Amino acid sequence: MPDLITLTDRGLFCQAGNFYIDAWKPVHRTFVTHGHADHAHTGMDEYWCVQECAPILQWRLGAQNYHFLQYGEQRKFGDVTVSLHPAGHILGSAQVRVEHQGEVWVFTGDFKRDPDPTCAPYEVVPCDVFICEATFAFPIYAWPNIYLEIDRLVQWVDMCAQDGKVALLYAYSLGKAQRVLAHLTGRLAQPVLLHGSMVRGVQVYRDAGVSMASSQPLLELPEDTNLAGRLVIAPPSAQNSAWVKRLKAYEHAMASGWMQVRGNRRRRNVHRGFVISDHVDWRTLISTIQATGARRVLATHGNTDLLIPYLRDNLGLHAERLLTVYGDEEGQELAESNVVVEAPAP
């Protein structure tokens, strides 16, 4: 039997259902796993996604020919049955389950299984073939408890207040910033201040009913406002920009899975790193693969060099690398920096 989903120069293609998944070039019909720039592109005739993804795609891609499914709802396309299931990555993220003649393939997009108040929790979907990300597929990546990292973040804000400084946190503008805000609900005495590029995305989440700590745009405050002790969230692209000069005395930190590695913290040249990721770590990736019962794994975008032989030699699976164009958080940030509207320098 030929592969149900194949890699083309336009995206992952299901010939039996005549559709693509996370296509990166214009096609007649694509399913979109989530709204990040490397998975959601303009130019498609039809977009299919879960209802919860609607506000993000409408924000990122504008008016398009959208079709929405509920999580778990089944729909026939040609000879295949398709359903979408929570991926736990960001608001509206989904895995794509494709069934044809008794064989089931699942494409995760990006996914995580740690607690996240901003989106539906990941659902293990049994399958024969599992196509998964490999962003942090290396044993050194083992996430600490998210609640302990948030405690560390709150303590850092308090320390900055005692030192008369601003606590500037770099976080990706879609998903990470909102997740941090959600975990900070009820934890800070004053509203979190947002870089201009964060404001729209945070409002999209609030409009979708996601509860988060109170926030306000930094630019709403008079320029002579004393910001000591305030937490400011900005995209990584704001580092070393003219915008930062407004903060005067500050410490800066970054929220990312990459912060687990000391060399990455040095490379980003930040005072602190908080290990908060919207992807699975090594241990969870392996346990999830096992939980699906898949006998074949296709790993995309990330560290596949160790993962593939590990799956073959230790778990006895048929494992291969799938060379898609999807990126990691660093690449995502670069892509997003081309579409967000940066706040003007004061």
Side-chain angles (χ1 to χ4, degrees):
M1 180 182 294
D3 281 353
L4 185 56
I5 296 173
T6 57
L7 180 65
T8 75
D9 63 351
R10 295 183 177 274
L12 299 176
F13 180 57
C14 177
Q15 184 173 13
N18 193 25
F19 60 81
Y20 289 78
I21 302 173
D22 285 353
W24 50 80
K25 290 183 179 179
V27 298
H28 63 284
R29 177 185 296 141
T30 188
F31 282 84
V32 180
T33 61
H34 63 283
H36 279 144
D38 57 334
H39 291 260
H41 299 262
T42 58
M44 316 299 168
D45 292 340
E46 291 182 15
Y47 293 83
W48 290 75
C49 63
V50 291
Q51 186 69 50
E52 288 83 348
C53 191
I56 292 177
L57 290 189
Q58 289 163 346
W59 164 42
R60 304 302 299 272
L61 306 182
Q64 304 287 346
N65 183 15
Y66 296 115
H67 302 265
F68 305 117
L69 297 177
Q70 301 298 321
Y71 282 125
E73 179 183 353
Q74 295 186 340
R75 186 68 62 93
K76 291 285 289 186
F77 291 88
D79 295 331
V80 306
T81 302
V82 181
S83 56
L84 303 175
H85 303 265
H89 178 56
I90 65 171
L91 177 65
S93 58
Q95 306 170 82
V96 182
R97 180 186 185 275
V98 183
E99 182 174 2
H100 180 241
Q101 297 180 353
E103 185 174 71
V104 176
W105 287 52
V106 169
F107 174 58
T108 64
D110 295 328
F111 75 104
K112 75 170 180 297
R113 302 185 67 178
D114 285 349
D116 184 345
T118 71
C119 62
Y122 179 87
E123 174 186 333
V124 174
V125 183
C127 58
D128 301 295
V129 181
F130 191 57
I131 307 175
C132 62
E133 62 150 317
T135 305
F136 291 101
F138 202 75
I140 195 172
Y141 294 109
W143 306 149
N145 182 295
I146 179 64
Y147 302 108
L148 296 180
E149 284 300 277
I150 294 298
D151 287 345
R152 287 185 58 234
L153 196 157
V154 172
Q155 292 166 6
W156 170 61
V157 175
D158 291 341
M159 289 175 57
C160 287
Q162 294 170 10
D163 294 340
K165 296 179 179 178
V166 173
L168 170 61
L169 179 69
Y170 303 120
Y172 301 108
S173 57
L174 173 56
K176 186 67 61 60
Q178 293 85 351
R179 185 185 180 198
V180 169
L181 280 172
H183 279 296
L184 286 173
T185 301
R187 300 295 305 271
L188 299 176
Q190 300 185 82
V192 177
L193 300 176
L194 301 178
H195 182 277
S197 66
M198 294 284 180
V199 176
R200 179 73 184 279
V202 169
Q203 190 59 48
V204 166
Y205 271 58
R206 292 194 191 282
D207 292 344
V210 176
S211 178
M212 294 180 284
S214 61
S215 61
Q216 68 181 115
L218 175 62
L219 285 178
E220 285 185 351
L221 300 178
E223 291 190 20
D224 59 353
T225 301
N226 181 5
L227 300 177
R230 303 294 295 271
L231 173 63
V232 178
I233 300 182
S237 58
Q239 188 175 11
N240 300 320
S241 70
W243 175 87
V244 175
K245 295 179 181 178
R246 174 175 180 175
L247 304 181
K248 299 175 182 175
Y250 67 90
E251 281 198 12
H252 56 175
M254 185 168 183
S256 169
W258 301 115
M259 293 297 98
Q260 184 146 52
V261 178
R262 183 179 302 173
N264 290 336
R265 293 196 295 271
R266 284 200 300 266
R267 184 172 61 85
R268 294 300 310 211
N269 193 29
V270 291
H271 295 106
R272 293 172 184 266
F274 296 99
V275 184
I276 301 174
S277 177
D278 290 333
H279 301 260
V280 287
D281 62 10
W282 167 263
R283 181 178 55 188
T284 308
L285 176 60
I286 299 302
S287 64
T288 302
I289 290 171
Q290 292 178 297
T292 66
R295 63 180 185 277
R296 182 182 175 196
V297 175
L298 304 176
T300 75
H301 61 294
N303 297 303
T304 58
D305 290 348
L306 181 63
L307 178 65
I308 299 301
Y310 181 89
L311 296 177
R312 289 174 178 168
D313 300 340
N314 294 72
L315 301 185
L317 300 178
H318 182 186
E320 307 161 58
R321 184 180 185 188
L322 196 63
L323 290 172
T324 64
V325 302
Y326 311 129
D328 56 26
E329 285 177 297
E330 298 283 2
Q332 170 192 312
E333 167 59 26
L334 291 174
E336 288 186 352
S337 68
N338 292 325
V339 297
V340 298
V341 178
E342 295 288 339

